[in-house]
Structures are given as C-alpha cells and as structure tokens.
C-alpha cells in the first residue's frame, strides 16, 4: 500500500536519532551542499531578500544559517511537533554546539552571514504548518531541503508538493532546494519507518522545467560517512519561479 503524506505521524519524528545519524558532525555531503548554496546566496546583497522561507525546516539549522546572509526575515515552516519543539529550543535558547562547525563553514564561504550562530538565527521565526498551509506567492526566496521526496511514496503527490513549493514564491522569486537521490522508504533509529519517493536529476528537471526559469540542477554522490538509507546521493536545485507557472 502506497503511503501518502497524511498517513504519517509527523509529530513523532525521531529528532535525536536523526541528528545523531546526520548532523552531530559536519559530513562531506554537508560541505558540498553548503558550498553550492553559498555560491547562490553570494548573489544577493546583505538584506537583499525581504521574506524568505524554509519549507519543512525540521531540525536542520544550516539552511537557516545560509539564508541569514541575505534575508531580513526567515520563516521556518514546520508541522511536526517534535521538530517544532527542537527548533523552538534552538531559536530561543543557546543552539547546540554541534552547529558551530556548520556556522563556521557557512561564514567562511559567505562573510555576509552574521558573526555568531545566535546572530544568524535571530531573523528566523518558527511557523507551525506545512507546505499546503502557505499562502501562494508570499515569499521572495523559497528554500526546501529533503522534504518533498521524503514526505510521500506517491509520485503524483511528490509532483504536487514541488508545484506548491514553487508557488510559495512571488513570480520571479528565487528557489533553492536539495533532494535525496533515489531515496526509498527508510528507517531512522532502531525502528521508525518513513516514506520515500525515488527521484533523480532527470525527474527533478522534468518536474521543475515548466514551473521555473533559470533552472540549474546538479548532483553530488553518496557520502559513505552518512547512514546507508538506500539513496545514491543528493540533487541540488536553483532557479526562479516562472512569471506565469502552469496550474
């Protein structure tokens, strides 16, 4: 039976297991994504983006750090209770020390990022909700990391999430995203099972070409220092929302 997004208890996302497996240290794949995205963000003047959003922010802070170089306000949209609680603690208290190396790398690649991790997160506001709750054409810059392909097993629902992602941006608004390549249904920690919709660069290009202009799609290979979830690497995307997207 194909698992859809609404079939999943996202409130029970295993935050500590996920962080332990993926983000308690800086992996080569993180460095590759951050390097790619830093080049994208260096194209903006400091404060040149009025409203930015991170879709399905989860407990991953580095997309928020990256966006801080250019954005006056960043909305971290998250529906899951456990992820939202973690973000609240990071934004309103002292962030986990494990994010320090991520901040250092981000700032080395883009000095427009605030000097401290707390400063980089100071413009972030947690918004409880998901992709479907966002008003269309609301943001100047829209970012999404490892969400659409990990939120459903249904390819049509994946495509709909991608369309909604683009429609969050004003026409001509900027887009940046990362996807797990060929990600199957997978486990985190000792037991929890989560949906996956396998996609590759050809699929991402086909889905986003009608929706975007200046589309650029690339990939990085799988990282042997990360858990083997069955994926074959990561896909990176930048572009702008088409002035008159279909649908």
């Amino acid at each position: 039976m194909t698992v859809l997004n609404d079939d999943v208890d996202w409130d029970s996302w295993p935050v500590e297991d996920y962080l332990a497996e993926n983000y308690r240290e800086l992996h080569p794949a993180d460095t590759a994504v951050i390097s790619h995205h830093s080049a994208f963000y260096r194209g903006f003047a400091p404060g040149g983006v009025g409203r930015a959003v991170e879709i399905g922010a989860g407990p991953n802070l580095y997309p928020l750090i990256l966006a801080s170089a250019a954005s006056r306000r960043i909305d971290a949209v998250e529906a899951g209770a456990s992820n939202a609680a973690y973000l609240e603690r990071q934004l309103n208290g002292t962030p986990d020390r494990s994010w320090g190396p991520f901040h250092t790398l981000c700032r080395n690649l883009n000095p427009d990022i605030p000097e401290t991790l707390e400063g980089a997160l100071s413009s972030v506001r947690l918004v409880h909700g998901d992709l479907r709750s966002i008003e269309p054409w609301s943001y100047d810059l829209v970012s999404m990391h490892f969400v659409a392909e990990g939120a459903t097993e249904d390819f049509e629902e994946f495509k709909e999430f991608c369309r909604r992602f683009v429609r969050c941006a004003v026409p001509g608004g900027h887009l940046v995203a990362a996807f797990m390549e060929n990600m199957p249904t997978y486990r985190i920690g000792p037991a929890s099972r989560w949906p996956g919709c396998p996609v590759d660069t050809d699929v991402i290009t086909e889905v986003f070409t009608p929706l975007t202009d200046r589309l650029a799609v690339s990939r990085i290979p799988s990282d042997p220092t990360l858990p083997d979830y069955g994926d074959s690497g990561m896909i990176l995307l930048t572009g702008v929302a088409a002035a008159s997207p279909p649908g």
Side-chain angles (χ1 to χ4, degrees):
M1 181 177 175
T2 301
V3 176
L4 302 176
N5 180 265
D6 287 340
D7 298 328
V8 180
D9 178 14
W10 296 108
D11 288 341
S12 65
W13 179 262
V15 172
E16 291 305 321
D17 286 333
Y18 181 70
L19 290 171
E21 292 179 10
N22 293 279
Y23 293 118
R24 288 306 186 196
E25 62 181 271
L26 183 63
H27 294 273
D30 302 316
T31 299
V33 175
I34 289 169
S35 297
H36 174 273
H37 286 9
S38 293
F40 166 78
Y41 279 108
R42 286 197 300 270
F44 300 91
V49 175
R51 297 187 69 208
V53 63
E54 181 67 28
I55 303 294
N60 179 7
L61 299 190
Y62 79 66
L64 305 174
I65 298 169
L66 287 163
S68 71
S71 308
R72 298 194 296 275
R73 174 177 137 184
I74 306 164
D75 286 349
V77 175
E78 175 56 49
S82 58
N83 281 332
Y86 179 81
L87 284 171
E88 287 274 16
R89 294 194 298 273
Q90 301 304 296
L91 299 177
N92 297 321
T94 301
D96 292 349
R97 293 183 63 184
S98 54
W99 293 111
F102 290 83
H103 173 259
T104 297
L105 175 61
C106 291
R107 193 159 191 274
N108 285 343
L109 293 169
N110 189 350
D112 291 334
I113 288 172
E115 291 186 10
T116 67
L117 178 54
E118 290 84 353
L121 299 175
S122 64
S123 60
V124 179
R125 180 187 71 156
L126 176 61
V127 177
H128 294 271
D130 66 14
L131 181 57
R132 296 167 294 187
S133 67
I134 298 173
E135 190 72 21
W137 308 297
S138 296
Y139 291 96
D140 304 303
L141 187 150
V142 185
S143 173
M144 179 174 69
H145 290 76
F146 318 121
V147 173
E149 79 285 12
T152 181
E153 294 178 357
D154 182 74
F155 184 61
E156 292 303 316
E157 189 170 45
F158 164 79
K159 290 195 295 183
E160 176 59 21
F161 289 156
C162 292
R163 287 190 290 267
R164 287 178 178 270
F165 163 70
V166 174
R167 286 202 298 267
C168 291
V170 298
H174 294 271
L175 308 167
V176 61
F179 305 85
M180 299 303 296
E181 182 183 63
N182 293 313
M183 184 72 148
T185 296
Y186 62 101
R187 293 186 182 277
I188 296 175
S192 66
R193 180 179 181 274
W194 303 92
C197 182
V199 298
D200 58 19
T201 54
D202 289 341
V203 168
I204 295 298
T205 300
E206 179 182 353
V207 169
F208 280 93
T209 294
L211 307 172
T212 62
D213 298 318
R214 292 159 46 190
L215 178 67
V217 178
S218 60
R219 69 176 296 274
I220 58 176
S222 59
D223 183 345
T225 71
L226 288 168
D228 183 4
Y229 293 127
D231 63 278
S232 57
M234 298 178 184
I235 303 167
L236 308 177
L237 175 152
T238 61
V240 300
S244 300

